Amino acid sequence: MNRHHWWRDAVIYQVYVRSFLDSTGDGVGDLAGVRAGLPYLRRLGVDGIWLSPFYPSPQHDHGYDVADYRGVDPLFGDLDEFDALVAAARRLGIRVLLDIVPNHCSSEHPWFREALASPPGSPARARFHFADGRGPDGDRPPNNWHAMFGGPAWTRVTEADGRPGQWYLHMFTPEQPDWNWRTPEVAAEFDRILRFWLDRGVDGFRIDVAAGLYKHPDLPDSPDPEADARTRDSVNPLAWNQPEVHDVWRHWRAVCEEYTARDGRERLLVGEVSVPSAREHARYVRTDELHQAFFFDLLGAPWDPDAFRKVISEAMQDIAGTGSTVTWVLNNHDQVRTVTRYGEPATDGSGLGTARARAAALLMLALPGAAYIYQGEELGLPEVVDLPDDVLTDPIFHRTGSRARVRDGCRVPLPWSGQASPFGFTSDESGAKPWLPQPEYFAEYATDRALADTRSFWHLYRDGLHLRSALPQLGEGTLRWLDTPPGALAFVRGDGPVCAVHFGTAPRPRPSPAPPSAPDAGA
């Protein structure tokens, strides 16, 4: 069996397929475009890619409303193209992870359509959360929960006889009904789905809403029903992080280990886990559960050395202590990009956000454990904050009418070359426009310019990845904090490499060598 455990310090590149590269000229990225971009990713130096959902879907939430878990939406290609992508990635030494969505599906999924056509109490409805409404006519939802994307978490259906009937639960949008994992048939179906893709050669899965799946069996009212919508996070303790979910990850880990035992190739499970503390997070990465879970606290930390040190220390103590490694992330498809997030309104145009994002990138790549890079992060792309309302596609905007936390700005298609949109993302000859408009200033961030400029973000990331490969002290292991003046943070890795980050704006001297008594952070 392979004992390398490649995933423990891997760097994975998140590919948002519809925004990566369009091979057909329709303005939407696709799997053939990802395959064409593999040499670029190989040159950057990543170990693997994570593909956003490309399954057949009505695209109410950009593929996170899955209608068929075993296919490819024609928008993105077909299974033959998927197989070609996996084969090409393997030739280049790039592993392929799929995004799997087990908490909910599409309202167009055949099982949900069957549930709508079936009577209350039927086995078809038991696969989801159907319940009678409250009040004399059942005209009020079964409980007071609100969906994360705004509005009630329940929708009432019309029964076969035309009368108003039961309600079904959806913690995101009405087009995304939640599976009922207390019905064994659901678990058995996902077992078959995992094996379908593992048999096609994938190297693992990124698991959407991995703290979800199970709801409180009584579906009681919440003391703070709008918490999820207010925070855009999995806060409702009755809907998330139920103890039974850990049995799912133990079974999925066993399935992956079964495949590894056959050929020695380790398959990875990495979860999107949003829980209250690093200690709770650590429960998901015990030795028989998920290999990794995204640690979002660094992504959410303010630009402050004390905040960064606290987050890193807690992660190293609680997560690395399980035998797993921390999975660091600074950007993803749901969050404002770092260049904009670290900027301040009073310093617009100063380049401060850019400088901070560069420093944060090197800090992340110097930390023990694994790291995930979101496409465009390596180009230093800022958030596109001025998209017109009429082009926004995020269901958050359409359900709330508010632009707060809308995610389209980090999903604008990548600029590859040229001075004007579509910047090589799609064919100029086709006349199709990118599915989200690219601003004119994207010309400054185009890949061809980044590759030619040794001072660019791209070279910063490429050099950082090269150092991770060249220096055995980086990757897995420990760190020791160094004494620093106020406004700075520094740590040493192994027997030599030092990472020092200055959080202020005035010059500071380099940190002194590590004192022998410097505390160890993690194992």
Side-chain angles (χ1 to χ4, degrees), residues 54-347:
F54 52 76
Y55 316 107
S57 165
Q59 303 294 323
H60 288 291
D61 189 21
H62 294 171
Y64 285 92
D65 49 325
V66 181
D68 176 5
Y69 287 87
R70 296 181 183 85
V72 175
D73 195 297
L75 187 67
F76 304 119
D78 54 29
L79 283 172
D80 287 341
E81 181 54 52
F82 173 80
D83 291 340
L85 167 58
V86 171
R90 182 155 299 158
R91 287 193 296 270
L92 292 173
I94 296 175
R95 293 173 172 87
V96 178
L97 308 182
L98 302 194
D99 203 326
I100 193 165
V101 188
N103 180 73
H104 51 267
C105 65
S106 166
S107 55
E108 296 298 316
H109 191 284
W111 280 13
F112 189 72
R113 294 203 304 266
E114 180 185 355
L116 292 178
S118 299
S122 63
R125 288 204 172 179
R127 298 165 178 159
F128 302 92
H129 294 277
F130 278 84
D132 295 331
R134 297 190 289 191
D137 300 316
D139 57 355
R140 291 189 290 118
N143 67 28
N144 66 353
W145 298 0
H146 279 232
M148 191 178 298
F149 290 171
W154 295 90
T155 291
R156 198 174 194 186
V157 305
T158 300
E159 302 293 358
D161 61 5
R163 291 185 297 179
Q166 288 191 307
W167 299 71
Y168 69 89
L169 179 69
H170 49 83
M171 294 304 298
F172 292 90
T173 73
E175 294 82 16
Q176 295 168 290
D178 281 46
W179 292 106
N180 181 6
W181 275 79
R182 298 186 187 278
T183 299
E185 194 177 2
V186 173
E189 171 65 0
F190 273 92
D191 191 295
R192 292 187 289 268
I193 292 166
L194 288 183
R195 294 176 185 277
F196 176 85
W197 293 108
L198 289 169
D199 288 342
R200 299 193 90 92
V202 304
D203 295 285
F205 302 93
R206 176 266 186 185
I207 304 166
D208 189 58
V209 196
L213 281 60
Y214 282 86
K215 282 40 175 178
H216 190 287
D218 299 327
L219 298 175
D221 278 347
S222 169
D224 187 2
E226 298 185 9
D228 287 359
R230 185 175 61 251
T231 61
R232 297 282 184 261
D233 203 356
S234 306
V235 175
N236 181 352
L238 303 169
W240 316 108
N241 199 27
Q242 297 293 298
E244 298 92 336
V245 75
H246 295 282
D247 292 332
V248 177
W249 308 138
R250 291 186 185 98
H251 177 70
W252 284 28
R253 178 68 173 260
V255 171
C256 288
E257 298 292 349
E258 174 190 327
Y259 277 79
T260 298
R262 295 179 189 175
D263 58 16
R265 187 161 58 88
E266 289 187 294
R267 275 69 168 188
L268 169 65
L269 297 173
V270 55
E272 180 193 32
V273 173
S274 183
V275 289
S277 68
R279 187 178 299 276
E280 189 70 23
H281 183 111
R283 297 183 62 219
Y284 285 82
V285 293
R286 290 175 289 194
T287 55
D288 61 345
E289 295 193 38
L290 302 177
H291 299 82
Q292 296 176 330
F294 293 112
F295 187 67
F296 294 122
D297 291 32
L298 190 63
L299 182 154
W303 186 253
D304 175 81
D306 294 334
F308 268 59
R309 178 164 177 160
K310 180 177 185 293
V311 163
I312 294 167
S313 295
E314 289 180 354
M316 293 299 297
Q317 175 181 330
D318 294 327
I319 298 171
T322 66
S324 181
T325 52
V326 186
T327 304
W328 307 102
V329 58
L330 290 171
N331 295 263
N332 64 34
H333 64 294
D334 288 330
Q335 302 294 333
V336 174
R337 290 185 179 275
T338 51
V339 169
T340 302
R341 194 167 75 241
Y342 292 150
E344 299 172 356
T347 59

Side-chain angles (χ1 to χ4, degrees), residues 442-490:
F442 262 32
E444 303 172 22
Y445 301 92
T447 299
D448 59 350
R449 291 186 61 170
L451 292 172
D453 182 1
T454 58
R455 299 166 298 175
S456 70
F457 257 89
W458 191 91
H459 281 275
L460 179 89
Y461 271 81
R462 197 278 308 270
D463 292 347
L465 292 174
H466 175 75
L467 284 173
R468 281 177 68 98
S469 297
L471 297 177
Q473 302 96 325
L474 297 178
E476 275 201 74
T478 62
L479 64 78
R480 286 183 294 141
W481 295 109
L482 303 182
D483 291 332
T484 55
L489 189 69

Side-chain angles (χ1 to χ4, degrees), residues 15 22 97 122 263 368 381 419-420:
V15 176
D22 170 23
L97 308 182
S122 63
D263 58 16
L381 285 181
Q419 298 298 315

